[in-house]
Amino acid sequence: MPKQKTHKGIKKRFTVTASGKAKCRSPYRGHLQSHKPSKRKRQNRVDTVLIKADAAMICDALRSAGR
C-alpha cells in the first residue's frame, strides 16, 4: 500500500505546535488594510489556534510529514 502524502495546501497554511494544536494565520489581513481600525489590525497579527475538531483534520493531513 502506498504511503499517505502530505496535503501541500495545508502544509503552506498551517503549523502544528509541540502540544499538538494547529495554528494558522489570522484571516482578513492580506490586503485592504487602510480602512480597518488599528486595533483590528493589531489583533490580527497574532496567529489563531484552531478548535479541536478542525485541528484533528489538519494534523491528520500533515501526519505523513513527520509532525
Side-chain angles (χ1 to χ4, degrees):
M1 183 169 225
K3 294 180 181 178
Q4 179 186 2
K5 293 187 176 183
T6 302
H7 193 287
K8 297 298 184 179
I10 291 178
K11 183 180 174 183
K12 293 172 191 173
R13 291 168 174 85
F14 297 92
T15 56
V16 180
T17 63
S19 59
K21 297 175 184 175
K23 284 173 45 174
C24 68
R25 189 175 158 187
S26 295
Y28 310 113
R29 73 175 217 200
H31 55 94
L32 300 175
Q33 299 291 310
S34 58
H35 74 279
K36 295 176 185 170
S38 298
K39 178 180 178 181
R40 183 168 161 193
K41 289 188 277 191
R42 191 169 56 248
Q43 289 173 340
N44 277 342
R45 285 185 208 141
V46 182
D47 288 345
T48 305
V49 177
L50 298 178
I51 61 172
K52 261 187 182 178
D54 293 336
M57 180 189 66
I58 299 299
C59 292
D60 185 47
L62 293 174
R63 184 146 317 172
S64 60
R67 297 169 196 227

